[in-house]
């Protein structure tokens, strides 16, 4: 079970990216099963959210790949030491870091969605 969790954490972004692409490809037939009268414009508008998610996940995966290729010591730090250092922070620092990271991801998603629309 522990090996599964390690593999899951290692390939989480790739799995999310593939799931998003699959959801984008399967969206039109699935929406037709739910609502037969759904117009093609509905597919285009609602799929913009999926395209933005794919764009953000692709960007994050590409950034991580470039990081590990050009600065392997930062990738090693993230894999080995980051969790321990994060656990040693104070509560308000953890919350600030978490909310800041969440806000950055939210802005990335909104910017990707705005670029598409």
């Amino acid at each position: 079970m522990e090996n599964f969790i390690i593999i899951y954490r290692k390939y989480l972004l790739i799995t999310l990216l593939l799931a998003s692409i699959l959801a984008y490809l399967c969206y039109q037939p699935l929406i037709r099963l739910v609502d037969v009268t759904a117009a093609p414009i509905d597919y285009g508008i609602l799929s913009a959210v999926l395209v933005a998610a794919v764009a953000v996940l692709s960007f994050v995966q590409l950034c991580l790949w470039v990081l590990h290729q050009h600065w392997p010591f930062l990738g090693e730090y993230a894999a080995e030491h980051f969790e321990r250092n994060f656990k040693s922070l104070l509560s308000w620092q953890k919350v600030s870091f978490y909310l800041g990271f969440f806000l950055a991801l939210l802005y990335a998603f909104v910017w990707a969605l705005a670029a598409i629309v």
Side-chain angles (χ1 to χ4, degrees), residues 27-86:
Y27 182 76
Q28 187 175 14
L30 291 177
I31 195 67
R32 296 285 182 175
L33 290 174
V34 174
D35 183 12
V36 181
T37 62
I41 191 71
D42 292 339
Y43 170 71
I45 290 172
L46 294 176
S47 68
V49 175
L50 291 172
V51 171
V54 169
V56 168
L57 288 171
S58 300
F59 179 74
V60 169
Q61 188 64 35
L62 181 66
C63 287
L64 287 175
W65 179 75
V66 168
L67 177 78
H68 286 281
Q69 291 297 319
H70 294 289
W71 298 288
F73 60 91
L74 288 177
E76 180 184 322
Y77 170 78
E80 301 295 329
H81 305 290
F82 181 76
E83 185 177 353
R84 184 171 18 96
N85 289 345
F86 183 78

